[in-house]
């Protein structure tokens, strides 16, 4: 069930929603939990998961900054 290199490249370049990114992380975890995975595939999946987590963090950071900007401009309270 290993992904092709082209699919990984597309995944890195294609913008994903936060929900899509979480779903991909779940896929990675599921694949890592299988007994059939090779050590090489484990390293590739680990790297894929770390890349996806970094994307999640970036997305969340952007949203937090937008909320803070709205708070400054609109006088809304932080939550």
């Amino acid at each position: 069930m290993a992904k092709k290199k082209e699919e990984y490249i597309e995944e890195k370049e294609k913008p994903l929603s936060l929900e899509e990114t979480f779903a991909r992380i779940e896929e990675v975890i599921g694949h890592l939990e299988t007994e059939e995975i090779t050590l090489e595939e484990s390293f590739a999946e680990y790297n894929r998961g770390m890349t996806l987590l970094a994307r999640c963090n970036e997305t969340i950071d952007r949203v937090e900054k937008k909320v803070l900007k709205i708070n400054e401009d609109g006088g809304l309270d932080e939550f």
Side-chain angles (χ1 to χ4, degrees), residues 11 14-21 24 52 55 59 62:
E11 188 173 80
K14 179 183 171 189
L16 299 172
S17 70
L18 199 53
E19 292 81 8
E20 291 171 322
T21 307
R24 299 271 173 96
L52 290 167
R55 289 178 86 173
T59 302
R62 276 196 309 271

Side-chain angles (χ1 to χ4, degrees), residues 19-71:
E19 292 81 8
E20 291 171 322
T21 307
F22 285 138
R24 299 271 173 96
I25 291 170
E26 288 293 325
E27 289 174 9
V28 168
I29 292 169
H31 191 212
L32 285 169
E33 290 176 340
T34 63
E35 293 182 18
E36 302 86 34
I37 192 168
T38 66
L39 186 58
E40 186 175 283
E41 290 173 332
S42 294
F43 287 134
E45 286 296 296
Y46 173 81
N47 286 326
R48 178 179 172 222
M50 293 307 291
T51 300
L52 290 167
L53 283 172
R55 289 178 86 173
C56 284
N57 286 334
E58 290 169 7
T59 302
I60 291 168
D61 287 345
R62 276 196 309 271
V63 170
E64 286 178 343
K65 287 177 184 174
K66 285 181 183 178
V67 169
L68 291 176
K69 182 162 180 56
I70 290 170
N71 285 340

